[in-house]
Amino acid sequence: MLKTRYALAFSSLLLAGPTFGQVIPPATGTAPPPAEPAPTPAPAAPAKSTAYGPGMKVNLSPDGSKYLRFMLWTQVFTRYNENNTGTLRAPNLPKASQVDFGIRRSRMVIIAQLNPRFLIYTHLGINNQNAVSGGVSPTVDGKKPQFFIHEAVTEYKVNKYLNLGAGLHYYNGISRLSNASTTSILGVDLPQTNFPTIDLLDQFIRWMGVYAKGRVGKFDYRVSVSDPFLTNLPGSPNYVVGAVQTGNPLGLGSTNAATGINTGTNTAQYNPQDVNHVYQGYFSYNFLEPEANLLPYMQGSYLGTKRVFSIGAGFFYNKDGTFSRSASSTVALSSLTPGTDLFAAVPTTKHDITLLGADVFYDVPLDTAKGTALTLYGVYYNFDFGPNYVRYVGTENPGYGAAALRGNAVPQAGTGNSVYLQGGFLLPKNLLGPKARLQPYVDYLHCSYEGLQNTAGNRRGVNVYDAGVNVLLDGHNAKVTLNYRARPDFTNQAPLPEGGALVNDVKYRPEITLQTQVFL
């Protein structure tokens, strides 16, 4: 039966006419010679992915001098975290440890150049979203994080030595890592010590102001003048009976409930009335190959594609950026009436914020045949925020609530000194086949802040240890990072009468992070 159907189908094709290849008998006479067979086409070469190069670029002129360029990247964390003492995972729900998931960064940059002298770029995205924090109400839940503008800049090229720009910018002082590209970080992340004023005076390390940048020979520079954002510390500037007073001079003291006396703590906090400009600068000299400076982002690791040896130094200055009250300052709350201007009624001392940094960066290929490369970086910071200032930060914090030391928070900035060191080695090719590469690394952060003391009256050091490996599937454009961190837990502390905190002991908590990154 099956053969019968095939025969009928074949017959119908022959009878269907010339459109379907019906055989037409040749004209009478000698039959023409048979045609030469057509040559068999060569199989198509398999498609290859092209190098990333300048990214997703749309040329607006034949020579490519006018263009639009798009860059997108997302970094996702899967993490095990042993929490600091007393951490809550939800209201009234203590949690000693957990595995959590989060979006560390999801960003987009759009660059447009329509004239060799003019450049605009806009940087948008979100940061630090997990199920607990990072949302519209970041200490309450992680829902609907704010998609906000990180940078919006217009820039004019004066000459080959000088570019001027204005807008919401990322031209920071202090150090190389204070201007870091987050797409090429050597380790799993950067300590917030590199960004000591993040989201207090600035908008996520960005500033509203003007800047100048350029290169003269092997010397690079960037300087900026910006307005400080309002610090957004809670509390009313006018005294209200029963209100929490943290955004005015009463927040610089502690109140004895029995006597109603508010006594100064001799600990500086950001000044809510700070309206003075912020001045920043970073200067570097590169002994080997020059680095790109079209955008402000500085590379973390070149993976053997460049020879760089750079030394640099930077500064940050903001007059009257913080204020404090001495331990001898007392205020009887009964002497205050609703509507009292506390900034006039309560004496305070203002302090300039002065932040200094010096660093060195060395990144070179070692064996070009094997593809090995070495990356080394070190930075020293000297920070002065005023007496006993310490700030606790937990990146993509898995702890619930507004407590400063919840979750994975550590003392990341303060008045004192810090050292940050990192080193990485790109292993030879073909250890994981022709595609993937391995880059193990180590990071070390040491901070010494005057506001953290031990029982002997000496500073209690803050030490954070990181070790991990990057699995580079397509350089920094597609990589997976596994990181182990030993993090100090500073929750066992008590305030000192002369200011600062007495740290009784420090326990180390493990934190294991698996990060996936795609950058296009």
Side-chain angles (χ1 to χ4, degrees), residues 22 87 160:
Q22 180 182 4
T87 292
K160 66 178 181 178

Side-chain angles (χ1 to χ4, degrees), residues 186-517:
L186 174 61
V188 73
D189 211 341
L190 298 169
Q192 300 302 303
T193 308
N194 299 290
F195 317 110
T197 65
I198 183 171
D199 265 344
L200 288 175
L201 292 183
D202 55 60
Q203 178 172 293
F204 212 76
I205 329 166
R206 277 76 182 180
W207 300 88
M208 197 72 74
V210 296
Y211 65 86
K213 69 167 188 179
R215 174 179 298 151
V216 181
K218 295 189 174 185
F219 174 76
D220 278 73
Y221 68 91
R222 57 181 68 194
V223 292
S224 64
V225 181
S226 309
D227 281 330
F229 286 87
L230 291 178
T231 57
N232 296 327
L233 294 173
S236 169
N238 294 319
Y239 177 66
V240 177
V241 176
V244 177
Q245 305 293 331
T246 55
N248 56 54
L250 289 184
L252 301 173
S254 60
T255 300
N256 184 314
T259 63
I261 300 296
N262 181 279
T263 304
T265 59
N266 195 34
T267 299
Q269 293 296 338
Y270 281 89
N271 177 10
Q273 294 185 328
D274 176 19
V275 294
N276 297 301
H277 287 141
V278 173
Y279 300 91
Q280 299 187 75
Y282 179 70
F283 314 92
S284 62
Y285 188 88
N286 206 324
F287 294 90
L288 301 176
E289 297 181 38
E291 300 182 79
N293 67 350
L294 176 69
L295 298 177
Y297 320 117
M298 307 195 81
Q299 194 87 353
S301 175
Y302 281 101
L303 305 177
T305 61
K306 189 180 282 287
R307 296 176 56 83
V308 177
F309 177 35
S310 173
I311 59 173
F315 72 91
F316 174 110
Y317 178 76
N318 177 220
K319 180 178 174 57
D320 295 339
T322 60
F323 68 154
S324 67
R325 285 172 55 204
S326 70
S328 61
S329 169
T330 59
V331 175
L333 297 186
S334 60
S335 66
L336 302 173
T337 59
T340 298
D341 181 358
L342 295 179
F343 289 99
V346 180
T348 61
T349 302
K350 294 182 174 62
H351 311 278
D352 299 343
I353 300 176
T354 304
L355 314 176
L356 304 173
D359 58 6
V360 58
F361 176 67
Y362 184 67
D363 191 299
V364 294
L366 296 179
D367 187 325
T368 54
K370 294 181 179 179
T372 56
L374 178 67
T375 303
L376 298 173
Y377 178 77
V379 59
Y380 168 78
Y381 293 120
N382 181 276
F383 293 163
D384 186 357
F385 290 92
N388 298 308
Y389 175 82
V390 177
R391 184 184 181 189
Y392 300 89
V393 179
T395 302
E396 195 189 299
N397 202 311
Y400 170 81
L405 273 161
R406 72 188 194 279
N408 63 349
V410 296
Q412 291 276 21
T415 295
N417 308 311
S418 298
V419 174
Y420 179 62
L421 304 171
Q422 60 177 191
F425 180 67
L426 184 62
L427 295 178
K429 301 175 183 177
N430 298 321
L431 289 180
L432 296 180
K435 298 290 186 181
R437 303 290 304 278
L438 289 178
Q439 185 187 38
Y441 64 85
V442 292
D443 295 349
Y444 170 64
L445 173 67
H446 170 76
C447 305
S448 174
Y449 300 135
E450 69 176 39
L452 299 173
Q453 300 181 20
N454 58 24
T455 53
N458 301 317
R459 296 185 184 185
R460 186 63 186 254
V462 180
N463 299 289
V464 183
Y465 306 90
D466 285 272
V469 60
N470 292 316
V471 182
L472 303 159
L473 306 176
D474 188 7
H476 290 300
N477 297 111
K479 72 179 181 182
V480 177
T481 302
L482 181 64
N483 186 83
Y484 174 83
R485 170 171 296 170
R487 184 192 76 246
D489 179 355
F490 271 74
T491 53
N492 190 358
Q493 61 176 257
L496 290 169
E498 64 275 14
L502 172 64
V503 181
N504 296 306
D505 67 338
V506 173
K507 294 181 179 179
Y508 275 82
R509 309 292 188 185
E511 190 172 325
I512 302 172
T513 303
L514 179 68
Q515 175 188 258
T516 59
Q517 170 177 306

Side-chain angles (χ1 to χ4, degrees), residues 25-259:
T28 57
T30 306
E36 291 290 332
T40 304
K48 286 187 176 181
S49 61
T50 58
Y52 174 71
M56 293 178 284
K57 185 178 178 184
V58 180
N59 289 330
L60 303 179
S61 64
D63 62 354
S65 62
K66 299 180 180 181
Y67 62 86
L68 282 172
R69 180 181 169 192
F70 301 88
M71 294 185 291
L72 300 95
W73 66 100
T74 294
Q75 297 160 339
V76 179
F77 277 12
T78 300
R79 178 176 55 186
Y80 167 79
N81 186 72
E82 186 174 296
N83 293 322
N84 292 342
T85 302
T87 292
L88 301 178
R89 175 59 178 78
N92 299 322
L93 179 65
K95 193 73 171 178
S97 64
Q98 76 280 315
V99 174
D100 77 312
F101 310 95
I103 298 174
R104 178 64 182 93
R105 299 176 183 91
S106 187
R107 311 265 193 87
M108 175 175 63
V109 171
I110 306 170
I111 308 167
Q113 185 147 20
L114 301 180
N115 181 293
R117 288 190 177 274
F118 299 99
L119 175 76
I120 62 172
Y121 69 89
T122 304
H123 182 176
L124 311 100
I126 67 167
N127 307 276
N128 300 319
Q129 182 192 17
N130 59 24
V132 175
S133 60
V136 174
S137 302
T139 61
V140 176
D141 63 53
K143 299 185 186 75
K144 300 177 183 177
Q146 183 181 14
F147 186 83
F148 65 95
I149 293 178
H150 289 60
E151 293 149 67
V153 163
T154 61
E155 186 176 297
Y156 173 68
K157 181 177 181 179
V158 178
N159 54 46
K160 66 178 181 178
Y161 304 114
L162 173 64
N163 292 62
L164 299 176
L168 185 62
H169 68 86
Y170 186 61
Y171 284 93
N172 296 316
I174 314 179
S175 77
R176 178 187 184 92
L177 286 193
S178 300
N179 298 273
S181 164
T182 59
T183 63
S184 60
I185 302 170
L186 174 61
V188 73
D189 211 341
L190 298 169
Q192 300 302 303
T193 308
N194 299 290
F195 317 110
T197 65
I198 183 171
D199 265 344
L200 288 175
L201 292 183
D202 55 60
Q203 178 172 293
F204 212 76
I205 329 166
R206 277 76 182 180
W207 300 88
M208 197 72 74
V210 296
Y211 65 86
K213 69 167 188 179
R215 174 179 298 151
V216 181
K218 295 189 174 185
F219 174 76
D220 278 73
Y221 68 91
R222 57 181 68 194
V223 292
S224 64
V225 181
S226 309
D227 281 330
F229 286 87
L230 291 178
T231 57
N232 296 327
L233 294 173
S236 169
N238 294 319
Y239 177 66
V240 177
V241 176
V244 177
Q245 305 293 331
T246 55
N248 56 54
L250 289 184
L252 301 173
S254 60
T255 300
N256 184 314
T259 63

